Amino acid sequence: MSNITDVLSRRKDREEGLGQNENAVLFNNQDFRVLQRECLEKGTLFCDPTFPADSSSLGYNQLGRYSSKTTGVEWKRPTELCSNPQFISGGATRTDIKQGVLGDCWLLASIASLTLDKEILGRVVPNDQNFTENYAGIFHFQVWQYGEWVDVVVDDRLPTKNGELLFVHSEEGSEFWSALLEKAYAKVNSSYEALSGGSTIEGFEDFTGGIAESYELLEAPPTLFNIIKKALDRGSLLGCSIDISSSYETEAVTRQKLVKGHAYSLTGAEVVHVYGSPVQLVRLRNPWGQVEWTGAWSDDSSEWNQVLPEEKSKLDYSADDGEFWMEFSDFIHNFSRLEICNLTPDTLTSDGVARWSYHQFEGMWRIGSTAGGCRNNPATFCSNPQFVIKLDEVDDDPHDGVDGCSFLVGLMQKDTRRERQFGRDFNTIGFAIYKVPDEYRGMNNVHLGSDVLLRQKAVAMSNTYINLREVCGRYKLPPGEYVIIPSTFEPHRKGSFILRVFTEKLATASPMEKDMTHEYKESEISAEDVDPHFKHLFKQISGNDSEISALELQKILDHVISQRTDLKTDGMSMETCRHIISLLDRDGSGKLGLLEFHTLWMKLQIYLEIFKNLDTDNSGTMSSHEMRDALSQAGFHLNTLVLDVIITRYADQQSAVDFDSFVSCVIRLELLFQMFKKFEKNNSGKIELDMLQWLCLALS
């Protein structure tokens, strides 16, 4: 109950705007302004109880309590490290980010890219913070976490060794915004050690809310330089790295001063002319700050003497700051991977920057209901969550010269880095995209079944199913309607996910969910319509009062079902029998008369036929993955959230539903729909209850 309550509560909060950058969720429910004010009133400096200055915040293995790497670590505030600490001095720049002993260059590369745009940085690093006015040893930052922005509070006690910061630090040593941001990000992920090793993509996304794509440069598309330029024009953040063949090569420096296994930022792409011929250049930055490329087009290399003065004047190419230019062909040859983070429309405020159209959905793979696995599992694949995207407009100025509708799809599984310390493995995830058949176009209140999906090939899919935090792909399809199906590779793997879709032109997207309706209509009957043999049977089982109580009904149904060798059952529960009487009792007697019992008997025949048709292996039970079809045949059209609740309640640990559970579910649903209709006004789809009404209905 608490889980579904949380889901519904979160959905309501989202609808009211909670989780957006301007209305971030309070991480650990800590309010920066409230805590700051309390400290100022008490004259104390903030000490964060949720991320204490001890070994538990450093790590769990390499940086654990008994590790030699943590011996001698002292936590100190900036005011103890220098005489005049600054939060940000002269604006946040890339030189403020120098890597420490932690292997999080991927994170620092993404932070460095943030400094290229003050507005993007300002969403993460509120700049109204300092060590003088209202200083209370407390700072806060905002990061994006799995579909929502969270506001993270930290105290300013930082790990040091021999009087110097252990992790990220500024070049001058007196500027602390980057060190405090790193601490906030470590807090979100449970410890500093949890940040060791990663992809620049992850940092890009968590500091922007954007969606990232990755390119293996050995397989780079011929239009990649155009993709890079278009990405930079859209304000995207870009990073790159050189693969290593063994751990011994980590951060090894090549002959031309490139660092292997190290994350770089790509900050520019320009075309210059040498004797009239165009040369494609890209600009890179090393978070270390000094080690720079020494090949062609490096700082002060002879190639710059051949560039037209007016072109050269536009490019900063000679500062010893870790930033350098190189020819695009050399970039492809020397680097292994390029990562591009495309930004959400709300991130960009400049009128001169093009914007993506953006859609985001939360979902879950639940064992027995929506954890259907990939298409290799035809019996369960169609039970996965489904999302429809409608592409109407073709791209402007396509980067590859081919007309079509470009879009990005990102599938991210939640809470992976935070749970690394518990040994949790990633799910192996991916997605497939199918064309919506013409007969279903314009309809998003359906759930496509095997009769549709298994009879056609996917028009696109993720490159592979892989155990990473996120799988992302860029696609171009003709205008039309398509359904995206995210899944784990194997069925019956639980997990939560975020599905995001960025389209180059305006598009619409939504979950493929049925409208919640109940279509079953009972036919009115009279006593004359009842078969005489049935009347005689009823008199025998109902006794002198000619009515059947809940206890009598339980005995009758148990006896009837026990005669069926083709049904696996534990017998009807008393709760189900009471629900049956609540549903069918017309005169308020609390029992079933002849006509009411006849109505029940007809219902049971229908339920039995549905159940047997879907018991395809003659096991006497029905797979929980068939519940959507079974309930649909019984007249109920339900969305995935309700279906998840039903399966959690009525399926067993083997994801099987027996006959009595199926009957109980259908009766309960019909009763709930009936209750709702009694209180609904003007077909609004909403009801309003006071406490008395709510308790009476919930307990009935």
Side-chain angles (χ1 to χ4, degrees):
M1 177 64 72
S2 61
N3 180 58
I4 191 62
T5 302
D6 289 343
V7 170
L8 294 174
S9 176
R10 281 169 55 82
R11 178 174 288 193
K12 183 174 184 296
D13 288 341
R14 288 285 179 83
E15 290 172 354
E16 295 175 353
L18 185 64
Q20 297 178 7
N21 183 259
E22 63 275 10
N23 188 20
V25 175
L26 301 179
F27 189 75
N28 288 347
N29 204 31
Q30 291 176 299
D31 189 311
F32 170 73
R33 297 298 175 192
V34 171
L35 293 171
Q36 182 189 50
R37 183 171 61 251
E38 289 176 353
C39 289
L40 290 172
E41 289 173 353
K42 295 177 182 177
T44 59
L45 295 180
F46 179 62
C47 294
D48 185 2
T50 69
F51 198 65
D54 61 29
S55 58
S56 65
S57 298
L58 289 176
Y60 47 88
N61 186 13
Q62 295 294 317
L63 295 177
R65 181 185 301 272
Y66 303 109
S67 169
S68 59
K69 294 183 179 181
T70 60
T71 302
V73 169
E74 296 181 282
W75 296 76
K76 294 187 176 183
R77 299 185 189 270
T79 51
E80 301 174 85
L81 294 172
C82 63
S83 59
N84 185 29
Q86 302 289 314
F87 184 64
I88 296 177
S89 176
T93 64
R94 299 184 292 282
T95 59
D96 298 338
I97 306 153
K98 302 279 287 184
Q99 188 175 359
V101 301
L102 189 62
D104 62 348
C105 59
W106 61 274
L107 176 65
L108 308 188
S110 60
I111 296 175
S113 292
L114 287 181
T115 64
L116 298 175
D117 190 309
K118 292 181 180 179
E119 291 182 353
I120 295 176
L121 181 69
R123 289 159 58 91
V124 177
V125 184
N127 57 16
D128 59 342
Q129 306 181 84
N130 55 62
F131 291 94
T132 53
E133 185 180 357
N134 292 326
Y135 170 68
I138 183 172
F139 292 83
H140 71 125
F141 302 87
Q142 294 198 37
V143 296
W144 184 89
Q145 286 287 282
Y146 309 111
E148 64 184 14
W149 285 89
V150 295
D151 191 87
V152 189
V153 166
V154 292
D155 63 38
D156 63 352
R157 295 177 295 176
L158 297 168
T160 69
K161 223 173 189 182
N162 301 319
E164 296 184 352
L165 289 179
L166 193 61
F167 304 130
V168 72
H169 52 279
S170 66
E171 195 166 33
E172 299 82 5
S174 59
E175 204 166 351
F176 290 93
W177 71 269
S178 58
L180 292 168
L181 173 58
E182 182 188 45
K183 180 175 183 178
Y185 196 67
K187 176 178 175 177
V188 166
N189 288 284
S190 77
S191 70
Y192 278 97
E193 186 173 353
L195 307 185
S196 184
S199 165
T200 310
I201 280 180
E202 191 172 342
F204 279 166
E205 292 185 337
D206 287 354
F207 293 134
T208 66
I211 189 171
E213 51 186 320
S214 181
Y215 292 92
E216 297 297 326
L217 296 181
L218 282 177
E219 304 168 358
T223 57
L224 183 58
F225 185 79
N226 292 336
I227 291 174
I228 291 172
K229 280 191 65 67
K230 202 164 189 178
L232 291 168
D233 289 342
R234 287 178 176 267
S236 302
L237 306 180
L238 293 85
C240 52
S241 60
I242 303 171
D243 285 347
I244 58 174
S245 56
S246 71
S247 59
Y248 296 106
E249 287 191 321
T250 303
E251 297 188 344
V253 180
T254 69
R255 188 175 58 183
Q256 292 180 306
K257 301 298 183 184
L258 295 177
V259 186
K260 293 185 175 183
H262 192 63
Y264 287 77
S265 309
L266 195 157
T267 59
E270 298 290 345
V271 175
V272 297
H273 292 81
V274 176
Y275 303 122
S277 298
V279 178
Q280 296 174 335
L281 301 179
V282 291
R283 183 177 63 203
L284 306 179
R285 168 162 174 80
N286 176 357
W288 281 356
Q290 272 107 20
V291 181
E292 294 186 12
W293 162 254
T294 58
W297 298 97
S298 59
D299 292 2
D300 299 318
S301 68
S302 59
E303 286 81 8
W304 289 106
N305 298 329
Q306 304 164 17
V307 177
L308 295 172
E310 57 269 25
E311 289 184 337
K312 186 161 60 172
S313 65
K314 297 177 183 178
L315 306 179
D316 180 11
Y317 63 90
S318 61
D320 185 19
D321 56 1
E323 195 164 65
F324 55 88
W325 292 89
M326 66 190 308
E327 191 167 349
F328 182 65
S329 59
D330 283 336
F331 169 70
I332 294 290
H333 177 73
N334 284 277
F335 281 81
S336 308
R337 185 175 296 102
L338 171 70
E339 295 161 336
I340 301 175
C341 181
N342 304 278
L343 303 180
T344 54
D346 62 305
T347 308
L348 305 167
T349 58
S350 171
D351 293 335
V353 177
R355 287 170 172 76
W356 294 92
S357 178
Y358 171 62
H359 304 275
Q360 174 181 295
F361 307 101
E362 281 191 86
M364 294 191 73
W365 295 298
R366 289 184 181 271
I367 296 174
S369 59
T370 53
C374 71
R375 185 168 169 151
N376 295 347
N377 309 278
T380 56
F381 173 67
C382 298
S383 62
N384 283 300
Q386 301 178 5
F387 303 87
V388 64
I389 176 173
K390 301 176 183 179
L391 304 172
D392 297 320
E393 302 178 50
V394 298
D395 303 345
D396 294 330
D397 187 27
H399 68 268
D400 56 1
V402 178
D403 285 338
C405 306
S406 293
F407 62 102
L408 306 171
V409 178
L411 174 63
M412 177 184 292
Q413 50 188 322
K414 297 172 99 175
D415 301 323
T416 46
R417 185 174 291 275
R418 186 176 180 84
E419 296 188 12
R420 180 188 288 176
Q421 60 182 308
F422 305 118
R424 179 195 166 189
D425 292 329
F426 289 105
N427 279 322
T428 301
I429 61 172
F431 54 85
I433 304 174
Y434 292 83
K435 195 174 191 310
V436 174
D438 291 342
E439 60 267 31
Y440 292 103
R441 289 195 64 177
M443 302 168 59
N444 59 359
N445 63 332
V446 296
H447 187 91
L448 301 181
S450 57
D451 58 328
V452 175
L453 297 177
L454 299 183
R455 293 182 180 179
Q456 61 169 305
K457 290 184 177 180
V459 296
M461 59 193 309
S462 51
N463 287 337
T464 182
Y465 278 77
I466 193 166
N467 57 341
L468 293 177
R469 179 174 98 146
E470 184 176 42
V471 175
C472 181
R474 176 188 287 261
Y475 307 95
K476 179 180 285 189
L477 293 173
E481 293 186 18
Y482 302 90
V483 60
I484 305 171
I485 302 180
S487 73
T488 56
F489 181 73
E490 298 176 331
H492 318 306
R493 297 283 186 178
K494 69 177 181 179
S496 301
F497 66 84
I498 297 290
L499 180 74
R500 296 181 295 157
V501 182
F502 280 46
T503 56
E504 192 156 308
K505 301 291 286 185
L506 189 64
T508 58
S510 64
M512 290 281 272
E513 290 287 10
K514 290 190 175 184
D515 295 334
M516 295 205 292
T517 59
H518 177 216
E519 298 174 351
Y520 182 76
K521 293 183 179 179
E522 295 178 16
S523 56
E524 294 292 332
I525 61 170
S526 63
E528 290 73 26
D529 298 322
V530 180
D531 182 86
H533 177 71
F534 188 88
K535 288 181 182 178
H536 178 71
L537 179 63
F538 179 76
K539 285 182 179 180
Q540 286 185 317
I541 61 179
S542 62
N544 295 331
D545 61 354
S546 294
E547 289 193 309
I548 297 175
S549 68
L551 181 60
E552 291 170 325
L553 180 61
Q554 184 184 37
K555 292 178 180 178
I556 293 166
L557 295 180
D558 282 352
H559 175 73
V560 172
I561 294 175
S562 66
Q563 305 303 306
R564 300 286 300 247
T565 59
D566 57 344
L567 296 178
K568 183 179 179 181
T569 176
D570 294 326
M572 288 290 175
S573 69
M574 179 57 67
E575 181 186 28
T576 298
C577 294
R578 286 173 177 150
H579 285 155
I580 290 172
I581 291 176
S582 293
L583 175 66
L584 300 177
D585 177 22
R586 307 290 190 215
D587 57 9
S589 66
K591 299 180 180 181
L592 298 182
L594 171 63
L595 297 183
E596 296 160 342
F597 186 72
H598 185 271
T599 299
L600 170 63
W601 197 254
M602 293 299 101
K603 285 181 180 292
L604 290 176
Q605 303 310 306
I606 295 171
Y607 300 158
L608 181 60
E609 183 179 0
I610 293 171
F611 187 87
K612 289 301 296 176
N613 286 340
L614 292 173
D615 178 14
T616 53
D617 61 356
N618 297 316
S619 64
T621 63
M622 179 176 62
S623 167
S624 60
H625 287 276
E626 303 288 356
M627 278 294 278
R628 188 188 295 270
D629 284 344
L631 292 173
S632 180
Q633 291 178 36
F636 298 96
H637 302 296
L638 307 171
N639 69 19
T640 299
L641 183 58
V642 176
L643 193 68
D644 285 343
V645 175
I646 286 172
I647 290 170
T648 299
R649 177 165 182 172
Y650 293 103
D652 64 20
Q653 291 185 343
Q654 286 71 46
S655 299
V657 180
D658 57 23
F659 182 64
D660 46 283
S661 294
F662 177 60
V663 171
S664 178
C665 173
V666 178
I667 292 293
R668 181 68 171 150
L669 276 173
E670 190 168 347
L671 182 60
L672 290 171
F673 270 95
Q674 190 180 90
M675 289 177 177
F676 189 90
K677 285 297 181 184
K678 292 280 187 185
F679 286 87
E680 183 187 27
K681 295 181 180 179
N682 303 320
N683 293 318
S684 63
K686 297 180 180 180
I687 62 175
E688 184 175 325
L689 302 174
D690 60 29
M691 181 62 75
L692 175 63
Q693 293 169 324
W694 161 246
L695 289 175
C696 288
L697 288 177
L699 292 170
S700 64

